[in-house]
């Protein structure tokens, strides 16, 4: 697996440590409160033994203060729109070094609203994330 994620140098937390926390390998991680928005996927016919390749795309990483926490809580509690039957996005929220919300499904409308409402708190460098390491200036 190849993953390019470019974040500010003064981030104050480690994405890999957050993965270990989510898996249950560690009980606590350092850093500010934060949330991750993912789009899970399944690709049939990938060549795996079961014929299915599954994973998730990282769409946003938000630094969470009290205002952002209210927005996240609103999105988590939002009903799915009339006519929709799925919640295709997932939200993980780390608060005070522990998992507060783990892979909570949310609807597309709530995910898009959060991306817009929390744009100023988003730590993900989209250019590097979307186009890979060749867009990262290493100086």
């Amino acid at each position: 697996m190849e993953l390019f994620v470019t974040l500010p140098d003064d981030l104050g937390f480690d994405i890999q440590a957050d993965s270990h926390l989510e898996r249950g390998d560690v009980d606590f991680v350092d850093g500010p409160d934060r949330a991750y928005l993912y789009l899970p996927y399944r690709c049939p016919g990938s060549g795996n033994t079961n014929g299915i390749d599954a994973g998730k795309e990282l769409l946003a990483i938000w630094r969470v203060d009290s205002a952002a926490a209210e927005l996240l809580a609103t999105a988590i509690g939002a009903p799915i729109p009339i006519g929709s039957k799925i919640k295709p996005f997932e939200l993980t929220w780390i608060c005070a070094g522990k998992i507060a919300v783990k892979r909570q499904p949310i609807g597309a409308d709530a995910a898009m609203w959060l991306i817009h409402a929390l744009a100023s708190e988003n730590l993900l460098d989209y250019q590097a994330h979307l186009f890979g390491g060749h867009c990262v200036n290493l100086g």
Side-chain angles (χ1 to χ4, degrees):
M1 178 174 94
E2 192 170 357
L3 175 65
F4 295 105
V5 178
T6 301
L7 298 165
D9 291 336
D10 64 342
L11 185 64
F13 65 90
D14 181 351
I15 293 174
Q16 190 64 40
D18 290 353
S19 291
H20 289 293
L21 178 68
E22 190 174 8
R23 283 196 314 256
D25 300 337
V26 296
D27 295 328
F28 178 83
V29 292
D30 289 324
D33 293 354
R34 55 209 176 262
Y36 294 83
L37 179 67
Y38 298 104
L39 175 61
Y41 63 83
R42 292 171 51 97
C43 299
S46 66
N48 286 349
T49 56
N50 62 3
I52 301 290
D53 186 21
K56 57 187 174 183
E57 287 285 332
L58 177 61
L59 301 179
I61 304 172
W62 298 298
R63 198 174 303 220
V64 178
D65 58 13
S66 59
E70 288 180 32
L71 294 174
L72 287 171
T74 300
I76 289 168
I80 60 173
I82 295 172
S84 180
K85 295 183 181 181
I86 61 169
K87 292 185 173 184
F89 295 85
E90 290 181 352
L91 183 72
T92 294
W93 184 355
I94 298 172
C95 184
K98 299 202 176 256
I99 296 285
V101 174
K102 182 177 177 181
R103 298 185 189 196
Q104 172 69 42
I106 63 172
D109 56 337
M112 296 305 105
W113 177 74
L114 277 175
I115 286 173
H116 175 72
L118 294 176
S120 64
E121 301 300 322
N122 195 352
L123 301 170
L124 190 62
D125 179 344
Y126 283 119
Q127 183 175 354
H129 179 66
L130 294 173
F131 300 107
H134 64 278
C135 289
V136 178
N137 182 359
L138 299 178

